[in-house]
Amino acid sequence: MAPARVNAEKDAEDELELKVEKYSRGKGADLKALRDKKLKGQLAVKEKLYGQSAKVAAKAEKWLMPSEEGFLEPDNLEKTYRFPQESIVKEVDLLSSRKPFDMILPVLGPYTIEYTSNGRYMLVGGRKGHLAMMDMLNMDLIKEFQVRETVRDVAFLHNEQMYAVAQKKYPYIYNQHGAEIHCLKEHGKALKLQFLTKQFLLASINSFGQLHYQDVSTGEMIANYRTGLGRTDVMRANPYNAVIGLGHAAGKVTMWKPTSVKPLVTMLCHHGPVTALAFDRGGHLMATAGVDRKIKIWDLRKYEVVKSYAARAQSLDFSQKGLLACSNGSQVEIYRDFGGHDYRLYMKHRMMKGYQVGKVLFRPYEDILGIGHSMGLSSILAPGSGEPNFDTFIDNPMETTKQKREKEIHALLDKLPPDTIMLNPNLIATVRAPKKKEKKTKKEIEEEMEEAIEAAKNTEHKKKTKGRSKPSKRAKKKEEGVFRAKRPFLEQSKEVVGRPDKKQRIGEEVELPKALQRFAKKPQS
């Protein structure tokens, strides 16, 4: 066989191993430490299935998903952040060139936006009560209506059929036809909303600094906590572990789950109020911005700053491929990771003078950045931001009505309980490590020893013939039984109390304090 062919096969195997590692479920269960044979067999079968599914997914990615993201590539001394949108639109295909737009709505702004998980539908909320839902694939307006009161935030629920709106007094839930379904009075005056898809939980933070979790499938209020750090309108959910992150006026960022009264993590991130917060899709990176004119990128595995910029930001968002968008006044900047968390300026877009950008949000599975500002809505091209390959079992922008129904039913059947929200979700479905035996106290050992002695004294010995059941021999046997019962407890008490050390002789090896050295015996010469 030719050496070139051998090298090519080896490279292909190495590439496949890397892809298998990408789709694996982390470190497998330690089956050698298990004593339960039934559990050991069940876990062995599961680990085998996990390995097979990872190989199948890796092969499918290699052969069926050849598409790759395309970034802007400069020539010689060109800078990508100097490319205007007009020149980018001219170079892309016809379908992509129709996606950027500017919608001027100066009366009812400023506007906030939200996308569904598959990126097909967009929800628009104007501060003065304007609500609208659009199909971004066909650029159709599905529903538009006016609630005639303040709208602070909008959020889609499990799909586009229902969405929540944080209004003047309470959050409301509407269906896609604009009909009001629920009024969530227990949440109070909500400032921000986040929906946890896998747990079917709607989270809100109100003007009193109270964090609420409500199960939208059953209507039950799961948790209601006072953060104790005052009013805040900076709130984001980590897509990796469904932990809610809050940014506070004291420069702190806290992370919460519905089963804990206290925050899981409290980080001092800025020397002033936190203005924006965003989590990477992988869950290990967090971006924060503060009034101290700094944007910081944090590694949540070590809780350390990996990059810091001198810039302001009213809104932050990570794309599916790791681009970071931040807004400052009428300007939008996009940063790209060039390796090793080295985020550098990638794109820059300036709105018209006087436009104040309120929210920036990347559209899933598209190279589009949505912008909600004081004068309406805008959409710009951000090459390389979206995931080029989508899994139709998870998110399908082209799904039919039947597929939507099936997906909704499967989501309800696979709904996770609130207990599964934790900082490290890889601990779910793993075997808990055996606990080390805790040492008993002296009092507990004495009590157990007395019980064992009483049991040894009360044991009746079988009567034997030919002089072997004399009273003296029976008493001796009873004493031996009592001693055997006492022996393990005496050894345990020695371990707890410890034997007193023997007196050390004063010699050359023992160094005395200066005040006592004159009393020590001098060694004989």
Side-chain angles (χ1 to χ4, degrees):
M1 192 180 284
R5 189 177 173 185
V6 172
N7 292 335
E9 287 182 358
K10 192 177 179 182
D11 291 341
E13 286 177 6
D14 293 341
E15 187 184 352
L16 191 63
E17 282 179 10
L18 286 171
K19 289 183 186 290
V20 169
E21 190 178 348
K22 174 185 170 183
Y23 286 103
S24 66
R25 303 196 178 198
K27 194 177 179 182
D30 186 10
L31 302 178
K32 292 180 181 178
L34 289 175
R35 294 181 182 177
D36 190 342
K37 290 183 179 179
K38 187 178 179 182
L39 179 62
K40 195 173 182 180
Q42 289 173 348
L43 288 174
V45 171
K46 279 190 177 181
E47 291 294 334
K48 187 179 177 182
L49 289 172
Y50 291 158
Q52 289 174 355
S53 65
K55 284 181 182 177
V56 169
K59 286 179 180 177
E61 183 185 348
K62 185 178 180 182
W63 300 111
L64 301 177
M65 296 196 296
S67 301
E68 294 181 0
E69 68 274 9
F71 292 102
L72 294 175
E73 294 181 3
D75 292 332
N76 300 327
L77 298 174
E78 286 183 329
K79 302 292 183 184
T80 55
Y81 58 81
R82 288 182 180 167
F83 295 164
Q85 278 292 307
E86 291 78 14
S87 61
I88 296 172
V89 170
K90 285 177 184 176
E91 300 299 326
V92 298
D93 59 284
L94 185 63
L95 287 173
S96 298
S97 65
R98 292 174 180 171
K99 290 172 183 174
F101 63 85
D102 284 306
M103 197 177 293
I104 308 303
L105 303 165
V107 180
L108 302 172
Y111 280 85
T112 183
I113 58 173
E114 183 70 21
Y115 290 107
T116 51
S117 59
N118 60 12
R120 177 162 181 175
Y121 298 93
M122 181 173 74
L123 183 62
V124 177
R127 182 77 176 180
K128 294 176 184 176
H130 181 208
L131 292 174
M133 191 168 77
M134 296 173 64
D135 184 349
M136 301 306 292
L137 194 67
N138 306 317
M139 292 304 288
D140 289 338
L141 180 65
I142 295 172
K143 186 65 182 177
E144 181 183 21
F145 61 101
Q146 170 67 255
V147 294
R148 295 185 181 180
E149 62 180 34
T150 306
V151 170
R152 295 186 182 88
D153 198 17
V154 292
F156 276 111
L157 300 189
H158 55 283
N159 57 21
E160 76 281 356
Q161 300 290 329
M162 288 192 287
Y163 51 89
V165 180
Q167 292 179 208
K168 186 178 181 180
K169 287 187 177 180
Y170 314 110
Y172 290 83
I173 293 178
Y174 298 92
N175 66 6
Q176 63 175 346
H177 303 297
E180 182 187 318
I181 299 173
H182 297 292
C183 174
L184 310 177
K185 291 187 177 181
E186 292 182 19
H187 290 250
K189 187 180 172 182
L191 303 178
K192 286 288 175 182
L193 300 172
Q194 288 289 306
F195 184 71
L196 310 179
T197 313
K198 292 181 180 175
Q199 289 81 12
F200 274 73
L201 293 178
L202 179 66
S204 73
I205 186 80
N206 65 16
S207 57
F208 299 106
Q210 287 179 309
L211 180 63
H212 293 79
Y213 288 90
Q214 187 158 9
D215 191 331
V216 298
S217 61
T218 61
E220 182 187 356
M221 182 62 76
I222 301 297
N224 174 13
Y225 302 131
R226 276 189 176 275
T227 59
L229 292 167
R231 179 188 173 116
T232 180
D233 59 352
V234 180
M235 177 184 184
R236 288 300 283 269
N238 190 334
Y240 174 65
N241 51 20
V243 170
I244 293 288
L246 296 175
H248 301 279
K252 292 180 181 178
V253 170
T254 55
M255 298 181 193
W256 298 79
K257 67 174 184 177
T259 54
S260 175
V261 181
K262 293 182 179 179
L264 302 173
V265 178
T266 303
M267 300 169 62
L268 181 62
C269 298
H270 294 275
H271 297 294
V274 178
T275 56
L277 179 68
F279 291 98
D280 184 41
R281 191 184 182 190
H284 300 311
L285 284 180
M286 179 181 74
T288 60
V291 177
D292 57 355
R293 297 187 181 185
K294 283 189 179 178
I295 297 173
K296 295 181 181 179
I297 297 171
W298 301 78
D299 187 345
L300 293 180
R301 290 167 291 189
K302 299 182 284 186
Y303 299 102
E304 291 180 357
V305 179
V306 293
K307 198 75 177 175
S308 182
Y309 306 95
R312 282 182 177 179
Q314 281 82 36
S315 178
L316 293 169
D317 190 47
F318 276 104
S319 76
Q320 290 178 317
K321 301 307 288 183
L323 297 184
L324 175 63
C326 50
S327 64
N328 179 17
S330 60
Q331 186 169 288
V332 177
E333 293 178 343
I334 301 175
Y335 292 86
R336 179 187 167 193
D337 185 7
F338 286 88
H341 304 314
D342 181 20
Y343 278 83
R344 282 179 274 167
L345 189 60
Y346 173 60
M347 284 182 69
K348 194 184 283 186
H349 178 70
R350 185 176 289 279
M351 307 295 295
M352 286 186 68
K353 192 175 181 181
Y355 286 24
Q356 294 296 310
V357 179
K359 186 173 183 179
V360 289
L361 194 66
F362 284 102
R363 183 177 163 191
Y365 305 105
E366 294 283 353
D367 291 346
I368 295 290
L369 176 66
I371 303 169
H373 49 80
S374 57
M375 301 296 283
L377 312 168
S378 294
S379 179
I380 63 171
L381 288 174
S385 63
E387 175 64 50
N389 306 300
F390 56 85
D391 188 345
T392 54
F393 286 100
I394 298 170
D395 288 320
N396 184 9
M398 315 293 180
E399 63 189 358
T400 61
T401 308
K402 185 181 177 183
Q403 288 172 332
K404 285 176 189 174
R405 283 200 301 265
E406 287 181 358
K407 186 182 175 184
E408 189 172 358
I409 291 163
H410 279 291
L412 283 166
L413 291 172
D414 298 336
K415 188 181 83 166
L416 297 175
D419 303 341
T420 57
I421 298 174
M422 56 184 73
L423 287 173
N424 185 11
N426 293 324
L427 295 174
I428 300 168
T430 56
V431 181
R432 187 179 292 170
K435 288 184 179 180
K436 292 180 180 179
K437 291 183 179 179
E438 295 179 0
K439 289 185 178 180
K440 296 177 182 176
T441 60
K442 189 178 179 182
K443 191 177 180 181
E444 288 174 349
I445 293 168
E446 287 176 358
E447 288 174 358
E448 288 181 8
M449 187 169 69
E450 286 175 6
E451 289 176 5
I453 290 167
E454 286 294 324
K457 284 181 180 178
N458 295 331
T459 52
E460 293 183 2
H461 298 280
K462 196 176 179 181
K463 291 185 179 180
K464 296 181 180 180
T465 55
K466 294 184 180 179
R468 286 186 291 178
S469 290
K470 288 180 181 179
S472 58
K473 286 192 175 182
R474 289 170 71 181
K476 193 176 180 182
K477 279 183 183 178
K478 196 174 279 188
E479 284 178 8
E480 287 175 358
V482 169
F483 181 72
R484 276 197 298 272
K486 282 170 70 175
R487 184 184 292 170
F489 297 104
L490 292 171
E491 289 174 359
Q492 285 180 24
S493 62
K494 281 179 184 177
E495 288 177 8
V496 172
V497 178
R499 295 179 182 176
D501 297 330
K502 292 179 181 178
K503 291 181 180 178
Q504 294 180 346
R505 292 182 180 179
I506 299 169
E508 293 178 3
E509 295 178 1
V510 181
E511 188 178 350
L512 290 171
K514 287 183 179 180
L516 299 176
Q517 280 177 5
R518 60 197 178 96
F519 297 108
K521 288 183 179 180
K522 293 179 181 179
Q524 294 179 355
S525 57

mmCIF file of all heavy atoms in Angstrom, residues 485-516:
data_model
loop_
_atom_site.group_PDB
_atom_site.id
_atom_site.type_symbol
_atom_site.label_atom_id
_atom_site.label_comp_id
_atom_site.label_asym_id
_atom_site.label_seq_id
_atom_site.Cartn_x
_atom_site.Cartn_y
_atom_site.Cartn_z
ATOM 1 N N ALA A 485 -16.853 -9.293 72.003
ATOM 2 C CA ALA A 485 -17.763 -8.203 71.627
ATOM 3 C C ALA A 485 -17.130 -6.833 71.876
ATOM 4 O O ALA A 485 -17.384 -5.881 71.130
ATOM 5 C CB ALA A 485 -19.068 -8.319 72.405
ATOM 6 N N LYS A 486 -16.264 -6.740 72.935
ATOM 7 C CA LYS A 486 -15.663 -5.446 73.288
ATOM 8 C C LYS A 486 -14.470 -5.077 72.403
ATOM 9 O O LYS A 486 -14.204 -3.898 72.174
ATOM 10 C CB LYS A 486 -15.181 -5.470 74.751
ATOM 11 C CG LYS A 486 -16.288 -5.290 75.763
ATOM 12 C CD LYS A 486 -15.802 -5.557 77.165
ATOM 13 C CE LYS A 486 -14.865 -4.495 77.680
ATOM 14 N NZ LYS A 486 -14.503 -4.740 79.099
ATOM 15 N N ARG A 487 -13.773 -6.100 71.865
ATOM 16 C CA ARG A 487 -12.492 -5.855 71.192
ATOM 17 C C ARG A 487 -12.578 -4.835 70.037
ATOM 18 O O ARG A 487 -11.788 -3.873 70.011
ATOM 19 C CB ARG A 487 -11.907 -7.169 70.676
ATOM 20 C CG ARG A 487 -10.521 -6.989 70.063
ATOM 21 C CD ARG A 487 -10.010 -8.275 69.481
ATOM 22 N NE ARG A 487 -9.730 -9.255 70.530
ATOM 23 C CZ ARG A 487 -9.445 -10.553 70.278
ATOM 24 N NH1 ARG A 487 -9.458 -10.993 69.036
ATOM 25 N NH2 ARG A 487 -9.188 -11.369 71.270
ATOM 26 N N PRO A 488 -13.511 -4.955 69.054
ATOM 27 C CA PRO A 488 -13.535 -3.963 67.950
ATOM 28 C C PRO A 488 -13.816 -2.536 68.417
ATOM 29 O O PRO A 488 -13.276 -1.572 67.853
ATOM 30 C CB PRO A 488 -14.659 -4.471 67.029
ATOM 31 C CG PRO A 488 -15.468 -5.403 67.835
ATOM 32 C CD PRO A 488 -14.549 -5.995 68.843
ATOM 33 N N PHE A 489 -14.620 -2.400 69.476
ATOM 34 C CA PHE A 489 -14.946 -1.057 69.966
ATOM 35 C C PHE A 489 -13.758 -0.428 70.690
ATOM 36 O O PHE A 489 -13.557 0.783 70.633
ATOM 37 C CB PHE A 489 -16.168 -1.115 70.889
ATOM 38 C CG PHE A 489 -17.421 -1.578 70.200
ATOM 39 C CD1 PHE A 489 -17.902 -2.858 70.381
ATOM 40 C CD2 PHE A 489 -18.105 -0.722 69.344
ATOM 41 C CE1 PHE A 489 -19.049 -3.279 69.731
ATOM 42 C CE2 PHE A 489 -19.253 -1.132 68.698
ATOM 43 C CZ PHE A 489 -19.728 -2.418 68.884
ATOM 44 N N LEU A 490 -12.952 -1.252 71.371
ATOM 45 C CA LEU A 490 -11.751 -0.739 72.026
ATOM 46 C C LEU A 490 -10.748 -0.216 71.002
ATOM 47 O O LEU A 490 -10.105 0.817 71.204
ATOM 48 C CB LEU A 490 -11.111 -1.840 72.881
ATOM 49 C CG LEU A 490 -11.911 -2.277 74.119
ATOM 50 C CD1 LEU A 490 -11.285 -3.507 74.734
ATOM 51 C CD2 LEU A 490 -11.963 -1.147 75.151
ATOM 52 N N GLU A 491 -10.634 -0.939 69.864
ATOM 53 C CA GLU A 491 -9.727 -0.488 68.796
ATOM 54 C C GLU A 491 -10.202 0.838 68.184
ATOM 55 O O GLU A 491 -9.403 1.719 67.891
ATOM 56 C CB GLU A 491 -9.633 -1.562 67.715
ATOM 57 C CG GLU A 491 -8.859 -2.792 68.170
ATOM 58 C CD GLU A 491 -8.901 -3.907 67.139
ATOM 59 O OE1 GLU A 491 -9.558 -3.707 66.092
ATOM 60 O OE2 GLU A 491 -8.291 -4.962 67.380
ATOM 61 N N GLN A 492 -11.546 0.961 68.008
ATOM 62 C CA GLN A 492 -12.095 2.220 67.462
ATOM 63 C C GLN A 492 -11.836 3.390 68.397
ATOM 64 O O GLN A 492 -11.479 4.487 67.969
ATOM 65 C CB GLN A 492 -13.604 2.084 67.232
ATOM 66 C CG GLN A 492 -13.969 1.252 66.017
ATOM 67 C CD GLN A 492 -15.467 1.159 65.830
ATOM 68 O OE1 GLN A 492 -16.220 2.016 66.294
ATOM 69 N NE2 GLN A 492 -15.913 0.095 65.174
ATOM 70 N N SER A 493 -12.002 3.164 69.722
ATOM 71 C CA SER A 493 -11.788 4.260 70.684
ATOM 72 C C SER A 493 -10.329 4.686 70.721
ATOM 73 O O SER A 493 -10.017 5.858 70.904
ATOM 74 C CB SER A 493 -12.257 3.828 72.082
ATOM 75 O OG SER A 493 -11.492 2.717 72.531
ATOM 76 N N LYS A 494 -9.403 3.738 70.487
ATOM 77 C CA LYS A 494 -7.977 4.098 70.426
ATOM 78 C C LYS A 494 -7.693 4.999 69.232
ATOM 79 O O LYS A 494 -6.911 5.948 69.316
ATOM 80 C CB LYS A 494 -7.126 2.832 70.316
ATOM 81 C CG LYS A 494 -6.924 2.115 71.648
ATOM 82 C CD LYS A 494 -6.093 0.870 71.455
ATOM 83 C CE LYS A 494 -5.969 0.082 72.762
ATOM 84 N NZ LYS A 494 -5.210 -1.184 72.566
ATOM 85 N N GLU A 495 -8.369 4.707 68.091
ATOM 86 C CA GLU A 495 -8.188 5.535 66.890
ATOM 87 C C GLU A 495 -8.720 6.952 67.097
ATOM 88 O O GLU A 495 -8.152 7.924 66.632
ATOM 89 C CB GLU A 495 -8.891 4.899 65.697
ATOM 90 C CG GLU A 495 -8.193 3.651 65.188
ATOM 91 C CD GLU A 495 -8.961 2.998 64.057
ATOM 92 O OE1 GLU A 495 -9.946 3.611 63.590
ATOM 93 O OE2 GLU A 495 -8.586 1.890 63.637
ATOM 94 N N VAL A 496 -9.888 7.062 67.820
ATOM 95 C CA VAL A 496 -10.500 8.372 68.037
ATOM 96 C C VAL A 496 -9.684 9.197 69.018
ATOM 97 O O VAL A 496 -9.325 10.346 68.763
ATOM 98 C CB VAL A 496 -11.956 8.213 68.540
ATOM 99 C CG1 VAL A 496 -12.531 9.555 68.958
ATOM 100 C CG2 VAL A 496 -12.815 7.576 67.465
ATOM 101 N N VAL A 497 -9.374 8.579 70.190
ATOM 102 C CA VAL A 497 -8.661 9.320 71.238
ATOM 103 C C VAL A 497 -7.189 9.441 70.904
ATOM 104 O O VAL A 497 -6.575 10.492 71.061
ATOM 105 C CB VAL A 497 -8.867 8.626 72.609
ATOM 106 C CG1 VAL A 497 -8.095 9.352 73.700
ATOM 107 C CG2 VAL A 497 -10.340 8.553 72.949
ATOM 108 N N GLY A 498 -6.618 8.342 70.417
ATOM 109 C CA GLY A 498 -5.184 8.356 70.114
ATOM 110 C C GLY A 498 -4.373 8.044 71.359
ATOM 111 O O GLY A 498 -4.760 8.362 72.485
ATOM 112 N N ARG A 499 -3.253 7.370 71.173
ATOM 113 C CA ARG A 499 -2.394 7.044 72.319
ATOM 114 C C ARG A 499 -1.525 8.240 72.674
ATOM 115 O O ARG A 499 -0.994 8.906 71.786
ATOM 116 C CB ARG A 499 -1.502 5.853 71.963
ATOM 117 C CG ARG A 499 -2.309 4.572 71.739
ATOM 118 C CD ARG A 499 -1.387 3.438 71.358
ATOM 119 N NE ARG A 499 -2.140 2.218 71.100
ATOM 120 C CZ ARG A 499 -1.582 1.095 70.669
ATOM 121 N NH1 ARG A 499 -0.284 1.048 70.434
ATOM 122 N NH2 ARG A 499 -2.322 0.022 70.458
ATOM 123 N N PRO A 500 -1.343 8.497 73.978
ATOM 124 C CA PRO A 500 -0.467 9.609 74.357
ATOM 125 C C PRO A 500 0.979 9.311 73.966
ATOM 126 O O PRO A 500 1.458 8.201 74.168
ATOM 127 C CB PRO A 500 -0.638 9.703 75.879
ATOM 128 C CG PRO A 500 -1.154 8.366 76.291
ATOM 129 C CD PRO A 500 -1.926 7.813 75.150
ATOM 130 N N ASP A 501 1.606 10.296 73.383
ATOM 131 C CA ASP A 501 2.998 10.104 72.952
ATOM 132 C C ASP A 501 3.920 9.955 74.156
ATOM 133 O O ASP A 501 3.715 10.566 75.208
ATOM 134 C CB ASP A 501 3.470 11.296 72.124
ATOM 135 C CG ASP A 501 2.661 11.425 70.850
ATOM 136 O OD1 ASP A 501 2.201 10.375 70.357
ATOM 137 O OD2 ASP A 501 2.480 12.568 70.364
ATOM 138 N N LYS A 502 4.919 9.103 73.961
ATOM 139 C CA LYS A 502 5.908 8.920 75.028
ATOM 140 C C LYS A 502 6.765 10.177 75.154
ATOM 141 O O LYS A 502 6.951 10.911 74.199
ATOM 142 C CB LYS A 502 6.802 7.737 74.699
ATOM 143 C CG LYS A 502 6.050 6.406 74.744
ATOM 144 C CD LYS A 502 6.984 5.266 74.390
ATOM 145 C CE LYS A 502 6.241 3.940 74.414
ATOM 146 N NZ LYS A 502 7.112 2.812 74.032
ATOM 147 N N LYS A 503 7.259 10.382 76.376
ATOM 148 C CA LYS A 503 8.099 11.563 76.609
ATOM 149 C C LYS A 503 9.389 11.466 75.803
ATOM 150 O O LYS A 503 10.069 10.455 75.826
ATOM 151 C CB LYS A 503 8.435 11.680 78.093
ATOM 152 C CG LYS A 503 7.224 12.025 78.934
ATOM 153 C CD LYS A 503 7.610 12.155 80.390
ATOM 154 C CE LYS A 503 6.390 12.502 81.246
ATOM 155 N NZ LYS A 503 6.736 12.590 82.670
ATOM 156 N N GLN A 504 9.652 12.522 75.071
ATOM 157 C CA GLN A 504 10.863 12.530 74.255
ATOM 158 C C GLN A 504 12.052 12.962 75.101
ATOM 159 O O GLN A 504 11.939 13.845 75.946
ATOM 160 C CB GLN A 504 10.695 13.495 73.084
ATOM 161 C CG GLN A 504 9.642 13.049 72.096
ATOM 162 C CD GLN A 504 9.524 14.045 70.963
ATOM 163 O OE1 GLN A 504 10.024 15.152 71.055
ATOM 164 N NE2 GLN A 504 8.858 13.621 69.902
ATOM 165 N N ARG A 505 13.122 12.297 74.871
ATOM 166 C CA ARG A 505 14.351 12.678 75.572
ATOM 167 C C ARG A 505 14.930 13.936 74.927
ATOM 168 O O ARG A 505 14.925 14.097 73.715
ATOM 169 C CB ARG A 505 15.388 11.559 75.483
ATOM 170 C CG ARG A 505 14.975 10.326 76.274
ATOM 171 C CD ARG A 505 16.045 9.268 76.194
ATOM 172 N NE ARG A 505 15.660 8.083 76.939
ATOM 173 C CZ ARG A 505 16.401 6.994 77.014
ATOM 174 N NH1 ARG A 505 17.572 6.942 76.375
ATOM 175 N NH2 ARG A 505 15.991 5.949 77.713
ATOM 176 N N ILE A 506 15.449 14.788 75.781
ATOM 177 C CA ILE A 506 16.055 16.025 75.287
ATOM 178 C C ILE A 506 17.427 15.704 74.759
ATOM 179 O O ILE A 506 18.294 15.240 75.483
ATOM 180 C CB ILE A 506 16.127 17.087 76.403
ATOM 181 C CG1 ILE A 506 14.721 17.419 76.882
ATOM 182 C CG2 ILE A 506 16.838 18.341 75.923
ATOM 183 C CD1 ILE A 506 14.694 18.241 78.136
ATOM 184 N N GLY A 507 17.588 15.863 73.483
ATOM 185 C CA GLY A 507 18.871 15.564 72.864
ATOM 186 C C GLY A 507 19.191 16.567 71.773
ATOM 187 O O GLY A 507 18.669 17.674 71.734
ATOM 188 N N GLU A 508 20.024 16.120 70.888
ATOM 189 C CA GLU A 508 20.449 17.003 69.808
ATOM 190 C C GLU A 508 19.325 17.236 68.791
ATOM 191 O O GLU A 508 19.240 18.278 68.176
ATOM 192 C CB GLU A 508 21.671 16.406 69.112
ATOM 193 C CG GLU A 508 22.905 16.382 70.017
ATOM 194 C CD GLU A 508 24.091 15.732 69.332
ATOM 195 O OE1 GLU A 508 23.942 15.371 68.150
ATOM 196 O OE2 GLU A 508 25.135 15.581 69.958
ATOM 197 N N GLU A 509 18.444 16.178 68.614
ATOM 198 C CA GLU A 509 17.419 16.265 67.579
ATOM 199 C C GLU A 509 16.304 17.248 67.945
ATOM 200 O O GLU A 509 15.722 17.872 67.084
ATOM 201 C CB GLU A 509 16.810 14.880 67.324
ATOM 202 C CG GLU A 509 17.831 13.899 66.746
ATOM 203 C CD GLU A 509 17.236 12.529 66.545
ATOM 204 O OE1 GLU A 509 16.027 12.364 66.833
ATOM 205 O OE2 GLU A 509 17.953 11.629 66.093
ATOM 206 N N VAL A 510 16.020 17.372 69.273
ATOM 207 C CA VAL A 510 14.944 18.253 69.707
ATOM 208 C C VAL A 510 15.503 19.653 69.935
ATOM 209 O O VAL A 510 16.451 19.832 70.688
ATOM 210 C CB VAL A 510 14.294 17.722 71.008
ATOM 211 C CG1 VAL A 510 13.164 18.638 71.439
ATOM 212 C CG2 VAL A 510 13.791 16.314 70.807
ATOM 213 N N GLU A 511 14.900 20.639 69.275
ATOM 214 C CA GLU A 511 15.372 22.019 69.405
ATOM 215 C C GLU A 511 14.483 22.751 70.399
ATOM 216 O O GLU A 511 13.276 22.895 70.177
ATOM 217 C CB GLU A 511 15.342 22.717 68.046
ATOM 218 C CG GLU A 511 15.987 24.081 68.085
ATOM 219 C CD GLU A 511 15.998 24.756 66.735
ATOM 220 O OE1 GLU A 511 15.673 24.082 65.737
ATOM 221 O OE2 GLU A 511 16.309 25.959 66.678
ATOM 222 N N LEU A 512 15.055 23.203 71.512
ATOM 223 C CA LEU A 512 14.311 23.886 72.559
ATOM 224 C C LEU A 512 14.286 25.384 72.298
ATOM 225 O O LEU A 512 15.146 25.916 71.591
ATOM 226 C CB LEU A 512 14.968 23.626 73.912
ATOM 227 C CG LEU A 512 14.838 22.203 74.460
ATOM 228 C CD1 LEU A 512 15.718 22.048 75.686
ATOM 229 C CD2 LEU A 512 13.398 21.880 74.819
ATOM 230 N N PRO A 513 13.320 26.090 72.895
ATOM 231 C CA PRO A 513 13.337 27.563 72.821
ATOM 232 C C PRO A 513 14.569 28.126 73.512
ATOM 233 O O PRO A 513 15.173 27.480 74.372
ATOM 234 C CB PRO A 513 12.057 27.965 73.557
ATOM 235 C CG PRO A 513 11.216 26.753 73.590
ATOM 236 C CD PRO A 513 12.103 25.579 73.561
ATOM 237 N N LYS A 514 14.942 29.342 73.140
ATOM 238 C CA LYS A 514 16.162 29.951 73.685
ATOM 239 C C LYS A 514 16.120 30.086 75.191
ATOM 240 O O LYS A 514 17.135 29.948 75.875
ATOM 241 C CB LYS A 514 16.376 31.334 73.043
ATOM 242 C CG LYS A 514 16.824 31.254 71.595
ATOM 243 C CD LYS A 514 17.087 32.626 71.027
ATOM 244 C CE LYS A 514 17.555 32.532 69.586
ATOM 245 N NZ LYS A 514 17.816 33.867 68.996
ATOM 246 N N ALA A 515 14.908 30.362 75.740
ATOM 247 C CA ALA A 515 14.791 30.552 77.191
ATOM 248 C C ALA A 515 15.057 29.270 77.972
ATOM 249 O O ALA A 515 15.441 29.309 79.148
ATOM 250 C CB ALA A 515 13.400 31.080 77.519
ATOM 251 N N LEU A 516 14.865 28.071 77.325
ATOM 252 C CA LEU A 516 15.037 26.791 78.035
ATOM 253 C C LEU A 516 16.310 26.059 77.653
ATOM 254 O O LEU A 516 16.600 24.994 78.208
ATOM 255 C CB LEU A 516 13.833 25.888 77.722
ATOM 256 C CG LEU A 516 12.459 26.417 78.143
ATOM 257 C CD1 LEU A 516 11.379 25.463 77.683
ATOM 258 C CD2 LEU A 516 12.379 26.604 79.655
#
